[in-house]
Amino acid sequence: MNRRSFTQTLVGSGLWWTAEESNRTKPIAYLKPGDRIGLICPSGPISQERLERSLSNMDQLGLVPVLGKHIMQQNGYLAGNQNERLEDLHNMYADLTVKAIWCIRGGFGATHLLPYLDYKLIKKHPKVLLGYSDITALHCALSTRLAFSNFHSPVASSEMTPYTLEQLRNIIFGTSGQLVKIGTSQENDDFIGEGKTVFERYVISPGQAHGILWGGNLSLLAALCGTPYLKVNRDFLLFLEDIEEAPYRIDRMITQLLQVLPLHLLKGIVLGVFEGCEKKADTASQTLKEMMIDKFSHLSIPVVYGFPFGHILHQCTLPFGAEAILDTESFSLTVKLP
């Protein structure tokens, strides 16, 4: 769909994007089969099994892997020491034959790297970085410092269901201006009962909103509060996810964001599937749903829970900095690729 027809589509609902609004992030060089993709471990260590699954996923996508020098290193819960992890990241940006960088896993440790990133090198050789969970730290830093639009996507070693693979292809092989619709009821209904996750969906505050996609793992965003790597503006559609945190811990992190960031001024909030975050049996606790409604319902902006992203089998890919429209009635997110 071209820009004119897209604008006409949105006018009927009272939402549209101007040329000024569409120039907030750097243009993305989308991928194509045959491209060389750097594989790195900026956070936790990997096993040989994870590496082999990463290579298999690359093969399914028709991409050519370029392995970081230190990807099999281990330093406790880290994938090598700080200098080794930085070296692999910087080498991939410096290699002109590498078209994108894909993190093999999350874990912990990406926040260590933020003060030492060579932002001049990265700006000189921009390329897309893919991953989620702990990789949120890198996404936030590159978005804040360089206005880069990276991909909140499965990591390279993720288990790729047909849905996950299709959603990933739609984004990474996309073209600027392409529309991708995510999270329709039918898509979610198809996966209820599959795997270990049921995609529970509910609207906390109804409405439509258009804005700039930005967010990631809640724990990482809370950890970045007060640092120069976490800055939001009122144009953001904030997306959040987490895993295996008790409702009171989710409450604490959301409360921290509410007290530090102007969430009430954002365009809307899209919550993924918080896997393993439900109330435990026989505990004095709110349910996850009760807590989410309690924390977000007063913001007077559209808020929904249950979009297919997070630490789950069937997950979509969300591009940082992309313009998107959230429609709570159809439970959909229409993303316009940068």
Side-chain angles (χ1 to χ4, degrees):
M1 183 182 293
N2 62 35
R3 184 180 183 84
R4 177 175 297 178
S5 62
F6 182 48
T7 301
Q8 291 172 343
T9 300
L10 300 184
V11 167
S13 61
L15 299 172
W16 61 89
W17 294 318
T18 67
E20 181 182 357
E21 288 172 323
S22 65
N23 291 322
R24 294 193 175 115
T25 57
K26 311 293 185 188
I28 289 177
Y30 290 94
L31 307 180
K32 61 183 184 302
D35 279 347
R36 289 163 53 85
I37 309 300
L39 290 178
I40 64 169
C41 295
S43 302
I46 62 168
S47 61
Q48 185 64 33
E49 180 184 0
R50 274 187 180 266
L51 176 59
E52 290 173 1
R53 186 159 65 241
S54 300
L55 297 176
S56 175
N57 289 337
M58 297 274 284
D59 186 59
Q60 286 191 77
L61 292 164
L63 300 171
V64 178
V66 179
L67 303 185
K69 177 181 176 182
H70 304 291
I71 59 171
M72 298 306 295
Q73 293 291 96
Q74 181 166 359
N75 179 21
Y77 46 75
L78 300 169
N81 63 42
Q82 181 174 289
N83 289 336
E84 290 169 334
R85 290 178 287 132
L86 269 174
E87 182 182 355
D88 277 0
L89 180 63
H90 288 154
N91 285 346
M92 293 305 176
Y93 277 107
D95 188 337
L96 299 184
T97 71
V98 169
K99 302 304 181 184
I101 303 168
W102 202 354
C103 302
I104 295 179
R105 66 160 294 187
F108 173 77
T111 51
H112 297 166
L113 309 183
L114 304 189
Y116 308 101
L117 291 178
D118 187 340
Y119 291 99
K120 290 183 179 179
L121 169 70
I122 296 170
K123 184 177 181 179
K124 184 178 180 181
H125 303 295
K127 54 194 71 175
V128 170
L129 178 77
L130 297 94
Y132 79 115
S133 193
D134 195 58
I135 311 306
T136 295
L138 294 173
H139 289 327
C140 288
L142 295 175
S143 172
T144 296
R145 294 288 296 271
L146 301 175
F148 275 13
S149 181
N150 290 308
F151 295 151
H152 182 276
S153 74
V155 291
S157 63
S158 291
E159 294 182 40
M160 296 286 182
T161 67
Y163 175 82
T164 302
L165 202 59
E166 177 188 9
Q167 293 292 311
L168 182 61
R169 281 195 179 105
N170 286 343
I171 300 294
I172 67 172
F173 295 143
T175 57
S176 181
Q178 175 183 335
L179 301 184
V180 178
K181 195 167 186 178
I182 295 166
T184 64
S185 297
Q186 185 58 51
E187 286 171 336
N188 285 310
D189 287 343
D190 288 344
F191 296 128
I192 290 178
E194 291 188 24
K196 62 179 180 179
T197 297
V198 173
F199 284 82
E200 182 183 10
R201 302 184 306 275
Y202 50 88
V203 175
I204 296 174
S205 296
Q208 284 185 320
H210 77 284
I212 307 300
L213 283 174
W214 192 93
N217 181 261
L218 174 61
S219 296
L220 268 294
L221 295 178
L224 290 175
C225 283
T227 73
Y229 312 109
L230 184 70
K231 293 182 180 179
V232 304
N233 67 56
R234 63 182 62 202
D235 293 324
F236 283 170
L237 269 175
L238 179 66
F239 61 91
L240 299 171
E241 63 82 28
D242 219 314
I243 182 173
E244 295 181 359
E245 298 281 4
Y248 81 90
R249 292 174 63 89
I250 299 292
D251 183 338
R252 183 172 64 198
M253 291 184 282
I254 292 174
T255 299
Q256 185 176 12
L257 293 188
L258 287 167
Q259 292 177 351
V260 173
L261 303 175
L263 297 192
H264 63 289
L265 297 178
L266 301 186
K267 298 301 185 182
I269 297 175
V270 184
L271 302 169
V273 177
F274 282 59
E275 175 70 32
C277 297
E278 284 292 346
K279 168 188 174 182
K280 304 300 182 186
D282 302 321
T283 59
S285 170
Q286 288 180 302
T287 65
L288 179 67
K289 183 174 183 179
E290 288 169 341
M291 185 274 300
M292 289 294 192
I293 292 172
D294 183 52
K295 303 309 294 184
F296 289 119
S297 60
H298 70 285
L299 294 181
S300 301
I301 57 176
V303 183
V304 293
Y305 177 92
F307 267 75
F309 65 90
H311 290 70
I312 55 177
L313 281 175
H314 310 293
Q315 59 176 296
C316 62
T317 295
L318 298 173
F320 260 66
E323 298 172 87
I325 289 181
L326 169 65
D327 185 340
T328 66
E329 184 176 356
S330 62
F331 210 89
S332 65
L333 191 65
T334 303
V335 179
K336 185 182 181 202
L337 301 189

